[in-house]
């Protein structure tokens, strides 16, 4: 399973389920309560099966996402440090503007990491609530 686009995939999958549910509800109104009862029964069976899977997947996704974020953060920090070192070596000096630009980039990276962690927690909470 690829985790790079998991949030986008999850949103897309959730939207598809929602739209399928709306379509099914519309069909149920058109074709009567018998179809509706069949859909409710099928949905209940699917929900029972998916709860078992989602509990496992939630924990695994959370662990892998956290690990991936930490690894990415470490790699970014190393790349930034190396980039700074290389720049200083080539230029022989550093300006205040250069330092401010680097500081801004680091702050943006930290903000993005915080957003990823928050989104991961939201996804985890949403899955656990279902």
């Amino acid at each position: 399973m690829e985790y790079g686009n998991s949030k986008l995939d999850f949103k897309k999958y959730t939207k598809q389920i929602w739209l399928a549910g709306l379509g099914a509800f519309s069909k149920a109104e058109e074709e009567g309560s018998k179809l509706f009862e069949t859909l409710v029964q099928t949905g209940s069976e699917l929900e029972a099966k998916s709860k078992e899977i989602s509990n496992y997947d939630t924990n695994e996704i959370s662990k892998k996402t956290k690990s991936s974020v930490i690894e990415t953060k470490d790699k970014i920090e190393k790349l930034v440090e190396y980039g700074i070192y290389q720049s200083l070596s080539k230029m022989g000096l550093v300006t205040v503007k250069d330092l401010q630009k680097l500081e801004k980039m680091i702050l943006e990276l930290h903000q993005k990491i915080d957003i990823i962690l928050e989104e991961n927690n939201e996804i985890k909470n949403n899955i656990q609530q279902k």
Side-chain angles (χ1 to χ4, degrees):
M1 182 182 273
E2 183 183 36
Y3 293 97
N5 294 325
S6 65
K7 181 174 187 257
L8 295 175
D9 293 341
F10 182 76
K11 283 184 178 180
K12 179 182 175 186
Y13 185 67
T14 303
K15 179 156 179 125
Q16 288 176 340
I17 290 171
W18 173 253
L19 293 174
L22 288 176
F25 184 75
S26 175
K27 280 285 190 192
E29 286 181 335
E30 292 174 10
E31 297 181 18
S33 64
K34 184 176 180 181
L35 177 59
F36 183 76
E37 290 172 12
T38 302
L39 290 171
V40 169
Q41 181 180 358
T42 303
S44 295
E45 292 169 2
L46 180 60
E47 181 181 41
K49 290 178 185 176
S50 67
K51 280 185 180 179
E52 294 174 23
I53 294 170
S54 69
N55 287 337
Y56 172 76
D57 286 347
T58 301
N59 293 332
E60 287 299 309
I61 289 171
S62 178
K63 288 177 187 175
K64 289 183 179 184
T65 302
K66 186 175 183 176
S67 173
S68 177
V69 168
I70 290 169
E71 288 174 17
T72 303
K73 181 183 174 194
D74 291 343
K75 287 178 184 177
I76 290 171
E77 287 176 352
K78 287 178 184 176
L79 286 172
V80 170
E81 288 174 7
Y82 181 75
I84 291 170
Y85 174 77
Q86 289 294 326
S87 296
L88 292 173
S89 296
K90 288 179 183 178
M91 294 176 14
L93 60 102
V94 177
T95 66
V96 173
K97 187 175 182 179
D98 292 332
L99 292 175
Q100 289 171 341
K101 183 178 179 181
L102 289 173
E103 181 181 17
K104 182 180 176 186
M105 289 172 60
I106 291 169
L107 290 173
E108 289 173 354
L109 289 172
H110 281 289
Q111 289 172 346
K112 289 178 182 181
I113 291 169
D114 290 341
I115 289 169
I116 291 170
L117 289 172
E118 285 178 17
E119 289 173 347
N120 181 52
N121 287 334
E122 288 176 17
I123 291 170
K124 182 178 175 183
N125 291 337
N126 287 340
I127 291 174
Q128 287 176 346
Q129 289 175 357
K130 294 180 182 184

